[in-house]
Amino acid sequence: MATRTDFGPPDYREMLPPVIKANYGKWLYHERPQPGVLKHVAESGDALYTVRVGSERLLSTDKVRELCDLAEKYCGGYLRFTSRHNIEFLVSDANLLAPLLGELKARGLPVGGTGHSITNIVHTQGWVHCHTPATDASGVVKAVMDELFDYFGTMDLPAYCRISLACCLNMCGAVHCSDIAILGIHRKPPQINHDIVKAKCEIPNVIAACPTGAIRPDPARKSLTVNEDRCMYCGNCYTMCPGMPVADSAGDGVSIWVGGKVSNTRGGPAFSRLVIPYLPNTPPRWPETVAAVKNIVEVWAKHARKHERMGEWIERIGWERFFELSGIPFAEQLIDDFTTAPETYRTTAAFKW
Amino acid sequence: MATRTDFGPPDYREMLPPVIKANYGKWLYHERPQPGVLKHVAESGDALYTVRVGSERLLSTDKVRELCDLAEKYCGGYLRFTSRHNIEFLVSDANLLAPLLGELKARGLPVGGTGHSITNIVHTQGWVHCHTPATDASGVVKAVMDELFDYFGTMDLPAYCRISLACCLNMCGAVHCSDIAILGIHRKPPQINHDIVKAKCEIPNVIAACPTGAIRPDPARKSLTVNEDRCMYCGNCYTMCPGMPVADSAGDGVSIWVGGKVSNTRGGPAFSRLVIPYLPNTPPRWPETVAAVKNIVEVWAKHARKHERMGEWIERIGWERFFELSGIPFAEQLIDDFTTAPETYRTTAAFKW
Amino acid sequence: MADEMKTPLLDDLEKGRWPSFVTDLKQAAAKKASAKDLMGQLEKSYVDRIGHWKHGGIVGVKGYGGGVIGRYTDMPGDFPGVEHFHTIRVNQPSGWFYNTKALRELCEVWDKHGSGLTNFHGATGDIILLGTTTDHLQPCFDDLANIGFDLGGSGSALRTPSACVGPARCEWACFDSLDVCHTITNAFQSQLHRPMFPYKFKIKISGCSNDCVAAIARSDMSIIGTWKGNIRINQDEVRACAQGGMNIQAEVVDLCPTHCMGWDGTTLTLDDRECNRCMHCINLMPKALRQGVERGASILVGGKAPIVHGALLGWVAVPFIKLEPPYDELLEFINKVFDWWDENGKMRERLGELINRQGMGKFLKAMGLKPAPQMIKRPRANPYYFWREGVN
Amino acid sequence: MADEMKTPLLDDLEKGRWPSFVTDLKQAAAKKASAKDLMGQLEKSYVDRIGHWKHGGIVGVKGYGGGVIGRYTDMPGDFPGVEHFHTIRVNQPSGWFYNTKALRELCEVWDKHGSGLTNFHGATGDIILLGTTTDHLQPCFDDLANIGFDLGGSGSALRTPSACVGPARCEWACFDSLDVCHTITNAFQSQLHRPMFPYKFKIKISGCSNDCVAAIARSDMSIIGTWKGNIRINQDEVRACAQGGMNIQAEVVDLCPTHCMGWDGTTLTLDDRECNRCMHCINLMPKALRQGVERGASILVGGKAPIVHGALLGWVAVPFIKLEPPYDELLEFINKVFDWWDENGKMRERLGELINRQGMGKFLKAMGLKPAPQMIKRPRANPYYFWREGVN
Ligand code: SRM
Ligand code: SRM
Ligand code: SRM
Ligand code: SRM
Ligand code: SF4
Ligand code: SF4
Ligand code: SF4
Ligand code: SF4
Ligand code: SF4
Ligand code: SF4
Ligand code: SF4
Ligand code: SF4
C-alpha cells in the first residue's frame, strides 16, 4: 500500500471550541480582567475567557497530557498554543475561570504574559538538538525567565517587551526584531578539516555562503582556505559543509541586542541593535546574561513613557543617552562595518553630549 | 627666476571692511529689516547692513568692475560673495543703505535671497565649459529664476528652499542635498571608440570606475565592452576614458529631485530623492523643467507648515501624499535598485491610501 | 538507570518559578533511554560549554523530501540512545488550536516511536517531535498519517505556513487568517513536502498590522490584514476610556504617528485620509474604535533572518488585496512569485535577496504589479537608474 | 565681428528679471574673440542639445600639478577662438571677502590673458577664470602671483578649502572659520598644488551647525562649529518675540527635535542636557538665545557626491575639538587622515569610500580615536562583527 501523502494538516475547524465556532469572526472587543486573562466579547454577547500559561516549550508527552487534563476539566477539551509558545486555556464558562486559575497556581503553572508584561522568550534548540549553536537555548531562557518572573505575571511595564533568543547567527528565533535579543555568537574562524571538505562539500556553494568573502578555493588540496582576517565566525560555511566547524568552548558566548519591534504600531517594525558584543557561556544559569537583560528591562521601565517600546524610547532619547543610562560600555563592535554601515553613521552634527 | 609658488591665497584680513575688523567675532544678533537686507549688530553697538544681490555667477570682468564701482560708492570698497554665489554689499553707514538699494534697483540688480526666500541656484558649467554635461547649467538656471523671481525678493515661504543644478551625475553642484535639485542625466550607454580606448585609457581603471560593474575587458581588441543591460549611463567611464562618450542629443535631459537639506536644524541633513526621472532638454527655456520646479515650490508653499523644509514636509505627510498633491506620476525609476535599495523599501504595513 | 546519571548543572535549572524544561527531560528520561541519553549529553554540554551533535545528515520518509531533521551525537559511545536523534516536523493546525483527543493521539504516537519530547511549537510553527531513530521515521509517519497529522516543511521548500489566532478569537482580524493559512498549506502540499526551490520559503499570516506572528520579520511573504475607509468611533466609549483614567491626548492622540487625531476632552476626531492604519489607537481603545468596514490584506515580500546578506524586513508588494474564498487571486500571486524566484534565484538565495539583486522593478514587472509610492519609504537618492526596454 | 553672429536662442535668455549670463557673454564677446566663439559654440549646443567640448587634457603651470582644467572645442574649424579654452582655478580669500583693489587687479590680469569671463565662484569655492589658451597659462599665473593670488586645487589633490562668513559677520561662529580655512590652506599648500593623493580631498568649514557652506554634503572633512554648556536665554527677548507675533510653542518648542524645551507663556525652559545643538531655536530668536560659552567644533568625515558607490553625508569622527591658534591638534588630525587614506586608499577612492570598505573601526583605531555613540545614529543590526587582534 502506497503511503498516504500530501493530505495536509488537520482541519482547524475541528480544533475550535463551540463558543468560537459560534462567534467566529464576530468578536467585538476584548478586555484584560487580570494579568494572563483575556476576555473576548462577541456581537452575540458571548464571552470567552482565555487564560495564558507560561510554557517551557520543550514539553514531555506527560506534560502535554497534563495540559489535556486541565483543558478537559475546564475548557470542554480545547486549548491552543500561542505564537510565542505559551499555552492558552479557552474558558467559555465564566464560573470555571476561578477554579482553573486556582488549579494552575497549585500546579505551579504560571499565568501571565498578556499586555504590558514580559511574555515567553521565543527561542530555539541550542545544545538540545542543533549542530551549530554557540550557546544553549532552553537553559538561558529558564535562567532569564526565573529572574524576570514577576514581569510575566504583572502588566505594569511601559509597553510590550518581547525577548527572544537564538543560539547562532541563523537566528531561528527571529531575534532580529525583538525588544531584547539574546544571540549566541562564535568568535573563532572555522577549523578546517580538509578531508571532510574534500569528501563532502561542494566548494562553490561553500564559497558563496560566506557573507564577507573570506573563503577561497585551495585547488591543490581540493579544499578551501579561510582568510581569518575577514571571517566573522557566522558559521554559514559550516551549515554548508561539515568540514568547517566554528563552535569553540572558550570562544562561544552570548551577545545582547535591543530596540527591535515587529508590530506596525506607531514607529513600525525595526531591527534590534547590538549593545553587548559578548558575554561568556556560563551554564547552568548564565548570570552575566541574566543581569544584562534585567538591567536593560529595568532602565527602560524606569525611563520610558507609557506605550513606548524599547526602541521607541531609545530613538527618542538617543543612543548616546541609552548607553549612559544603562551603564553599558560602548564597544567598538557596535559600530557597523558590514554593507549596511553607512545607514548607521551619525550624518549630522546634532547629537547629545 | 624660479616662479614663486605655494604662497597661498590673499590674507582675508586685508579684505575685511573696518566695521568687520572692529567687531570681528563680537556680533551679537541680526535682523532682516527687509528681504535681501541683513542687519548685524555687534556687542559694541555697531551695526552692519548687508545687501544681498542675485548673481548670474558667470560674470564678465566688466560686470565685476560694475560691482566694484558700487562697492566703492557705498561700502568703502569692500564686498563679498556668498556660498551660493550671490553678491553681498557690506554697508556700515546706515545712510547709504537706501541710496544703494535705489541704485541697485535702477541697474536691474535684484535684491533678495535672505531668509524664507528662494535664493540663487547653485550650479555648474553645463555646455559652457564641461565635457560631460547632459544639459546646460546657466541657461536652465536663468529660465527657472526668471519664473521664481518673486520668491527671491520676498520671504513668505514656509522655510528655506534651496535649489541646485548639476549638469551630470558628478554633481558638482552638490545637488544631492537640495530642497529641489535639477540634475542632467544621460540615457544611453557609452558609444565605445575602440581606437581611443586602446590608445588612451587604462583598462583596469575604467573597469573600476563603473558603479554597476557593466564594463568588461575585451582582450582581443585591447579594449572594453559594456553590458548595456547593466549600464545606467552615469558617464563615469567617460570621465576616465575619452573613448566612451555618453552624451546624446536625443537621450540627454533633466531629472528632478526633492527633499534634501544640509543644515543640522530639526531633522538634520538629508539626501534629495528622485521624483521626475526625465524631462527633455528644451533650450533656451526648458519650459518642462521650469514648470516642474514651480509646481513643486507652489505645492510645498501651500501645504507645508511654518519652518518646514520640503523634505520635512514630505516626511510628515508621506511620499504617497506628496505624489498625490503634486500630481507627479510615480515612475518606476523612483524605486531604488542600487545597493542602497533596502533602506528605501516600505518595511511596514502602515502607509496611506 | 536513572540513579546512575548525575546532572547537577541541569538539576539547578529545576529551581526557580518558571516552568523547567529539565523536569520534562526527566519525565521523558524516566521512560525512554534516548531521552535519558539526551539529558546526559546536555549535561556534558553544560560542562564543556559546547554542543555535542554532529553535522546533520539527510533522512526522511517515503515520498517526501523533507519534514525530518537528521541528527547524530558525536559521542555515540557514551550516549548510544542518541546515536540517531532526528526530529520530525509535524504541520500544526491553523492557529495552533487543538482538541485534546488530537493531542493525546499525538502523544501516543510519539511515545511509541520517539523520545517523548516535543516542542509546542517550533519557531516556524510546526509541532516538533524531538528525537527518534532512522528506522522509526517511516512507521512514525504512518501512524501520524493515521491520526490525520501530516509533515511540515524543511530544506529548500515551502515551509509550514502559520497564522495568528485571527477571527477565531480576535476582533481585529481583517480576513480569515486561519482559513487562508489552511488553504495555502493545502494548495502547495507538493512545494511543502518536496524541496525543489532555490532555498526555503516562508509564509506567515497576520489578521492585522499588530502582526502577532511576526510575519514581517521572518517570512518571505507576509500577508497582513488591513482596511480601507473610516475607523468607526464610538464617542461614548472614548469618553468611558477617559473616565477610566486613560489620558487620551498623551496616550492616543500624541502617539498617533500621522498626527491625524484630535481630542477636545469630549470628542475624538480623526482624519482617516491621513491615517496609516498602524493600529495604535484601536489597540488602546478596543471598545471605542473599530477598523473600517472594507477589509483585506497587504502582501509584503522579502523578510528574512541575516544569513547571507543581512536581515531584511518584508516590504510592501501588494498594498491591498481582498481575501475571500476561494482566494484565487492570492494563490495565483503566490504561484507567480514561486515561478519567478524558482527561475531566477541562485542556490540559497531567498526571495528578498533575489529582488535586491535584480531590482524591485523587475520583480514588479514580472508580477504585473504597478509601481506605487506605498511600496517604498521614499524614492531613491542615487541617480543610477535605467531606461532599458521594458522600463516605463 | 559681432554683427555676423546670430544667437537667437541665447538672446532669448537676456529677457526676464534674473541677471542674464548672456549679457556677460556679450560684454566679453565684444572684447574677446574667444568669448565670442564661446557664445557661438554655446548657441550651437542650444541648437544641437549637446555639448561641444572634447574630453579634457592635462595642462598646467610650472611647479604645480593642478589648478588648471584643460578644455578644447570639438569644432575648432568653426570656433577657433576656443580651440584651447582652459580654466584657471584661483584660490579665493577665506569667506569670499574682497577689497575692490584686489578684484580690479584680477580683472586686469584676466582681460590680459583670458576670455574676460569668470565664475564668482566655482562650486568648490575657487575664483574660476573661464577660458584661456595653453600659452597664456604660465604668464597668467605669473601675473596672478604678482597681485597675490595663488592657484586652487584640481585633480587627485587637496581641493581649495572654503569657509562660511563666520566671525566676520555672524554671531553664531563657534570658532574662527576664516582663520581655520586660511591656516589649513597655507599649511597644506603642497597637497593642494601637487596631486599625489588617491583622489580629490575636500575640506569645508562652517562656524555652526547651520552649515552655510554645505560642508556635510560635499566635503571629505567637515569642520562644523558647536558648543558645550547651556544655551543662554534672555527671557525678556523671548517675550519680545512672542509679542512680536511669534508662536513660541508651535514654531520653537514643538519643532525642537529633542523636545527639550517648554514655554508657559512667559518663560522658556530648556533642558540643555537633552539638547542636540541643532540651532533651530537659536535661529528663530537670535536676540533671545545664544549658544553656550564653551565653543569648538565637531569634525565629520566622508561626505561626497554619488560617484562611484553613491553619495555620502559626512559622519561624526571627532565629536568635539577646541579650535584656537595655532590649531596644532587639528592640523595633526588632518595629517593623520591624509596619511592613512594615502596609504590605504585605492585609486579614485574617496575617504568615505575607504572607511566604508575597511570599516569605521579601523579608521578610528588609526586615528587614535575612542569609539563613541556620538559617531553613530544607532548600533549595527547585523551580527557580522570581528574579534580580531586589536579589536577591543
Ligand atoms: C495570542 C497571540 C496571537 C497568537 O496567534 O498566538 C496574540 C494575541 C493578542 N495580541 Fe498580539 N498576540 C501574540 C503575539 C504577538 C506578537 C508576536 C511576538 O511577540 O512574537 C506581536 C508583535 C510584537 C512586536 O511588535 O515585537 C504582537 C503584537 C500585538 C500588539 C501590538 C503592541 C505594540 O504596541 O507594539 C497588540 C495590541 C495591544 O495589545 O495593544 C496585540 C494585541 C493582541 C490581542 C489583544 C488581540 C486581540 O484582540 O485578541 C491579543 C491578546 C494580547 C495580549 O497578550 O494581551 N498584539 N502580538 C500571541 C501571544 C503571544 C504570547 O504568548 O505572548
Ligand atoms: C551668506 C551665507 C554664508 C556665506 O558664507 O556665504 C549665509 C548667511 C547666513 N545664514 Fe546661512 N548662509 C549662507 C548659506 C547657507 C547654506 C548653504 C547653501 O544653501 O548652500 C545653508 C544650508 C542650507 C540647507 O540646509 O540646505 C544655510 C543655512 C542656514 C540656516 C538654517 C536654515 C534651516 O532652518 O534649515 C540658517 C538659520 C536661519 O536663517 O534661520 C542660516 C542663517 C544664516 C545667517 C542668518 C547667519 C547670521 O547670523 O548671519 C546669515 C543670513 C541668512 C539669510 O540669508 O537670511 N543659514 N545657509 C550664505 C548665503 C547664501 C546665499 O547667497 O543665499
Ligand atoms: C527547529 C527550529 C528552531 C526551533 O527550535 O524552533 C529551527 C532549527 C534549525 N534551523 Fe532554523 N529553525 C527554525 C525556525 C527558523 C526561523 C524562524 C521562523 O521560521 O519563523 C528562522 C528565521 C526566519 C527566516 O527563515 O528567515 C530560521 C532561520 C534559519 C537559517 C537562516 C536562514 C536565512 O536565510 O537567514 C538557517 C540556516 C540555513 O537554512 O542554512 C536555519 C537552519 C536551521 C537548522 C536546520 C540547522 C542547519 O544549519 O541546518 C536547525 C535544525 C535544528 C535541529 O537540529 O533541530 N534556520 N529558522 C525552527 C523550525 C521549527 C519549525 O519548523 O517550526
Ligand atoms: C568647476 C566646477 C563646477 C562649477 O561650475 O562650479 C567643477 C567642474 C568639474 N568637476 Fe566637479 N566641479 C566643481 C565642484 C565640484 C563639487 C562641489 C564642491 O566641491 O563643493 C563636487 C561635489 C562634491 C564632491 O567632490 O563630492 C564635484 C564633483 C565632481 C566629481 C565627482 C567626484 C565624486 O567623488 O563623486 C567629478 C568626477 C571626477 O572627479 O572624476 C568632478 C569633475 C569635474 C570636472 C573636472 C570634469 C571631469 O569629469 O573631469 C569638471 C570640469 C569642468 C570644467 O570644464 O570647467 N566633479 N565637483 C566646480 C569646481 C570649481 C571650484 O574649484 O571652485
Ligand atoms: S539558531 Fe542556530 S543553533 Fe539555534 S536552532 Fe537555529 S540553526 Fe540551530
Ligand atoms: S564562519 Fe562565516 S565569515 Fe567565517 S569563513 Fe565561514 S562563512 Fe565566512
Ligand atoms: S556636473 Fe558634470 S557636467 Fe557639470 S560641471 Fe560638473 S562634471 Fe561637468
Ligand atoms: S556609463 Fe556608467 S554605468 Fe555605463 S558603463 Fe560607463 S561607468 Fe558603467
Ligand atoms: S495579528 Fe491582529 S488579528 Fe491577528 S491576533 Fe494579532 S491583533 Fe488579532
Ligand atoms: S490607526 Fe494609527 S495612524 Fe491611524 S489614527 Fe490610529 S494611531 Fe493614528
Ligand atoms: S555656518 Fe553658522 S557661523 Fe557660519 S555663517 Fe552660517 S550661521 Fe553663521
Ligand atoms: S538647539 Fe535644537 S535641540 Fe537644542 S533646544 Fe534648540 S531646537 Fe532644541
Side-chain angles (χ1 to χ4, degrees), chain A residues 185 187 233 274-278 328-335 337, chain D residues 361-362 364-365 369-372 380 385-392:
Chain A
I185 56 154
R187 295 191 305 156
Y233 347 106
L274 180 65
V275 293
I276 303 179
Y278 175 75
I328 297 173
F330 186 82
E332 176 175 330
Q333 281 87 354
L334 276 49
I335 300 183
D337 50 11
Chain D
K362 281 208 181 160
L364 295 177
K365 193 138 294 172
L369 293 168
K370 205 170 131 16
R380 70 165 66 232
Y385 53 93
F386 298 95
W387 289 95
R388 61 188 154 214
E389 217 220 325
V391 171
N392 60 344

Side-chain angles (χ1 to χ4, degrees), chain A residues 198-210:
Chain A
K198 201 168 140 184
K200 295 203 177 171
C201 306
E202 304 225 29
I203 305 285
N205 293 343
V206 184
I207 292 173
C210 181

Side-chain angles (χ1 to χ4, degrees), chain B residues 12-13 24, chain D residues 94 163 167 176-184 325 327:
Chain B
Y12 64 95
R13 295 177 194 88
Y24 195 88
Chain D
S94 266
D176 190 338
S177 53
L178 303 188
D179 199 39
V180 166
C181 182
H182 195 67
T183 303
I184 291 175
Y327 311 109

Side-chain angles (χ1 to χ4, degrees), chain A residues 124-126 130-135 166-173, chain C residues 71:
Chain A
T124 46
Q125 296 298 327
C130 197
H131 57 175
T132 71
T135 189
C167 27
C168 87
L169 267 54
N170 284 339
M171 294 202 188
C172 299
Chain C
R71 190 65 69 225

Side-chain angles (χ1 to χ4, degrees), chain A residues 35-37 52-54 86 110-114 117-119 152-154:
Chain A
V37 180
R52 187 174 295 167
V53 170
N86 283 316
V111 171
T114 55
S117 65
I118 288 183
T119 181
F152 179 75
T154 52

